[in-house]
Each structure stands twice: as structure tokens, then as C-alpha cells.
Amino acid sequence: MYYRLLICFLLFSAKLFAQQKQPATFQVVPLGVKGGTDEKNLSAYLLAPISTNDYVCLDAGTVYAGIEKAVQNKVFNISVSEVLRKYIKGYFISHAHLDHVSGLIINSPGDSSKTVYATQKCMEMMQNHYFNDETWANFGDEGKGFPLKKYHFQTLKTGEESAITSTSMMVKALALSHVNPYQSTAFLIKNQNNYALYLGDTGPDEVEKSDKLALLWKEIAPLIQQKQLKGIFIEVSFPNEQADKFLFGHLTPNWLMKEMNKLSKLTGKEALKGFKVIITHLKPPAVNEVKIKKQLIEQNTLGLNLIFPEQGKRFEL
């Protein structure tokens, strides 16, 4: 009996050790983490396979100021303009609100040739309202005015996997609801057999009268069970005190945890213990940001590994 218990203990310990020691597969450099007011710190996250400089930029609210912070923090040992031109291989825009695209637009004159990825409606909005030779020069290869052909505008079809140019990664775009019937996008990034999921702005299904998050959870649940999905980037814009009618297509701690509990019914609760959830798009003022973090921690009954990213500070998934 003693030896049987010892063997069980050793096997359990080995399994636990293996889970804890899973090597990182992605690296993340937040260029902007907030959801408004501070134009130097708006949604944008660099993501690359570990030990490479093949980054994609997930949304692009703030770009240059975020790279500056990262250089100051010694994340990069080259100049800001070199990071912009050489390390960022493409941009993924979840929706065309200014706090998600302004960094891309403003930095386009100093950028190098690369691809901008978005779903059809988002791409049309950027071409019609921003890169249109009126609001801003058309740095793309199609659309209004005189296309300068610096950027290749690649339209993604939801549910289809596409290669990401100049990287080893693939992407699948999935629809989100952001003040129904308007849409945002989630990007499921794949490198070999590892995945990371980035969500643009989204409201809860119940408030949005939508099934977009339910479909997304169904899509990714097997990846969590197989430990292939390394983390989810998801927004929480307001504290719980924000009334549902004033959410404007966003989440609160209450709503995030309700959605995570729906996900847990597909994965099993055990699969979500220690699972990395990166909280994005916190809206100022600072008192609300503190409140959101406190409420999330208090309501984290699933044992999620909640990550609150900081601008210019690298972390791994």
C-alpha cells in the first residue's frame, strides 16, 4: 500500500511539474493597453513566435509611443523606427474605430511595405473613411484616390485559415458582436500546433442578442482541452456598476466571468485552472481601472491566470 501511494504521488507530481514547466511558445509586447482617453496608450499588441522578431500587431491604436516604451524598457535593442519597419510584419484590425486604427494611420508615412488584414466590412470602412486620399493618403494597394501600394490590404473571410506573410504563423478570423448589428473580430493565431486568441471589442451575448461568443467558445474549447491555446486576450472596459444599456458593446467583470463560465462548461473547469486570460481595453479614469482589476480578482472562481498587461513590458504565453 505504501509503495502504491508513493507511486501515485510521484506520478501526480510529475504531471503537475510537466504542466507548470510547459515552455512558452509566444512572446507579447503591449504597445497600448487602454480603451480610451490616453491617445498614447490605446489597444495594440505585438505577438510573435518565441525567440523570433516576426511580430504581428493586433489592433493598432497606439504604435510609435508603445514601441518607444518598449525600447526604454530594453525589450528591443534597435531604434523605434527600425522596430516599426523591420519587426512588425503586418497589422490585424478587429474593427475600424479610431482607438484601434489611429496608430496605423499616423505611422503609415514612416512605415515599410507590409500587409494589413481585416474582414470585409472593416476593410471597406478603412478604405472609405481613412485611406481615401481625403482624410489621409491611400497607402494601400486598392480603394479610393491614388493607391501608393505601400500596404497590401488583405481581406479575411471569417472561419477560413490564412497564412500570415513573412511569418510562420496562420490566422483565422471569427466574428464578434460590438453593438449589434455592428461587428468586431477575433483573431485565432496559429504557430505550428500552438495558438493565441485575440478579441477586439465585444459585448456579452445576452446583452448583444447574439451568439458570436458562444460560437467562439465552441471553436476554441478543444484547443484549451489539448493545451494548445496559450492564452486569450479579451476586453473588460467598465466596472460592474456600468448598466447594461450603457455598455456600448463592451464587457464588465461580471459579464466576462459569466462568459468564462460558459466556456468552462465546454472545456471542464479543470482545464481553465491557471489558463492565461489577458485583460485588455480598460477604460479610464484610473479609479475605474483599479475597480475593474479588483472585481475581476474577487470573481475569479475558476482560477484563471489573469494578466493585466503594461505598455512596453514584454511577457510570454
Side-chain angles (χ1 to χ4, degrees):
M1 176 63 76
Y2 170 81
Y3 290 108
R4 188 177 297 173
L5 289 171
L6 179 61
I7 289 168
C8 289
F9 174 78
L10 291 173
L11 287 172
F12 175 78
S13 299
K15 182 180 178 182
L16 186 63
F17 182 81
Q19 289 175 340
Q20 292 173 340
K21 288 295 182 180
Q22 281 191 330
T25 56
F26 293 100
Q27 56 192 358
V28 181
V29 183
L31 301 185
V33 303
K34 296 187 180 183
T37 305
D38 184 356
E39 70 271 18
K40 290 185 177 181
N41 196 0
L42 298 172
S43 296
Y45 296 85
L46 296 185
L47 176 79
I50 201 77
S51 302
T52 77
N53 292 314
D54 297 334
Y55 289 95
V56 293
C57 194
L58 302 167
D59 277 330
T62 293
V63 176
Y64 198 92
I67 299 173
E68 275 188 322
K69 282 271 189 179
V71 170
Q72 290 168 11
N73 291 333
K74 304 189 184 305
V75 172
F76 302 118
N77 58 8
I78 59 175
S79 69
V80 177
S81 61
E82 285 179 296
V83 174
L84 174 69
R85 294 175 60 84
K86 295 179 181 179
Y87 285 4
I88 300 178
K89 308 301 183 183
Y91 300 92
F92 287 83
I93 306 301
S94 66
H95 62 296
H97 287 168
L98 275 171
D99 58 328
H100 293 258
V101 300
S102 58
L104 165 63
I105 298 165
I106 292 296
N107 285 284
S108 53
D111 206 351
S112 58
S113 295
K114 57 195 61 166
T115 303
V116 177
Y117 304 83
T119 56
Q120 183 175 349
K121 185 64 177 177
C122 177
M123 191 69 80
E124 287 174 355
M125 289 180 70
M126 288 196 293
Q127 290 177 7
N128 291 336
H129 301 296
Y130 303 140
F131 294 112
N132 59 9
D133 262 0
E134 295 178 353
T135 311
W136 201 256
N138 183 356
F139 284 93
D141 55 357
E142 57 183 55
K144 295 182 177 181
F146 181 75
L148 297 173
K149 300 182 180 180
K150 174 178 283 189
Y151 293 142
H152 169 52
F153 289 153
Q154 182 168 334
T155 301
L156 299 174
K157 292 184 178 180
T158 54
E160 292 186 9
E161 197 169 67
S162 304
I164 302 175
T165 303
S166 301
T167 79
S168 60
M169 296 181 286
M170 307 284 288
V171 64
K172 183 188 288 187
L174 299 158
L176 299 173
S177 182
H178 184 38
V179 190
N180 198 1
Y182 301 107
Q183 290 194 353
S184 179
T185 315
F187 297 111
L188 184 62
I189 308 292
K190 177 183 179 183
N191 187 58
Q192 297 178 350
N193 291 317
N194 302 302
Y195 295 80
L197 178 67
Y198 175 84
L199 282 75
D201 292 356
T202 184
D205 280 352
E206 191 174 328
V207 176
E208 292 284 309
K209 310 301 181 190
S210 166
D211 62 353
K212 296 296 189 296
L213 285 176
L215 293 172
L216 182 62
W217 303 150
K218 187 176 179 181
E219 174 95 16
I220 66 166
L223 300 178
I224 294 175
Q225 290 174 320
Q226 296 157 20
K227 301 190 183 303
Q228 291 178 278
L229 186 63
K230 303 305 178 180
I232 295 175
F233 296 75
I234 189 166
E235 67 122 285
V236 180
S237 295
F238 299 110
N240 290 330
E241 289 78 5
Q242 191 86 354
D244 288 351
K245 64 181 179 180
F246 296 123
L247 287 181
F248 308 115
H250 294 294
L251 294 170
T252 63
N254 270 338
W255 281 117
L256 174 65
M257 291 308 174
K258 284 181 181 179
E259 291 294 341
M260 289 294 98
N261 274 286
K262 291 179 185 177
L263 176 59
S264 76
K265 291 178 181 177
L266 300 173
T267 63
K269 288 186 178 181
E270 194 64 29
L272 289 182
K273 285 184 179 177
F275 181 73
K276 292 180 179 178
V277 177
I278 301 95
I279 305 300
T280 68
H281 209 263
L282 278 73
K283 285 183 175 287
V287 64
N288 277 4
E289 295 174 44
V290 171
K291 191 179 290 185
I292 290 168
K293 292 177 182 179
K294 183 175 183 291
Q295 290 172 348
L296 282 168
I297 291 166
E298 288 174 347
Q299 294 180 242
N300 184 20
T301 57
L302 290 170
L304 302 165
N305 181 1
L306 299 176
I307 296 172
F308 300 99
E310 296 180 56
Q311 186 182 37
K313 293 190 177 181
R314 178 186 177 276
F315 63 91
E316 298 178 348
L317 296 176

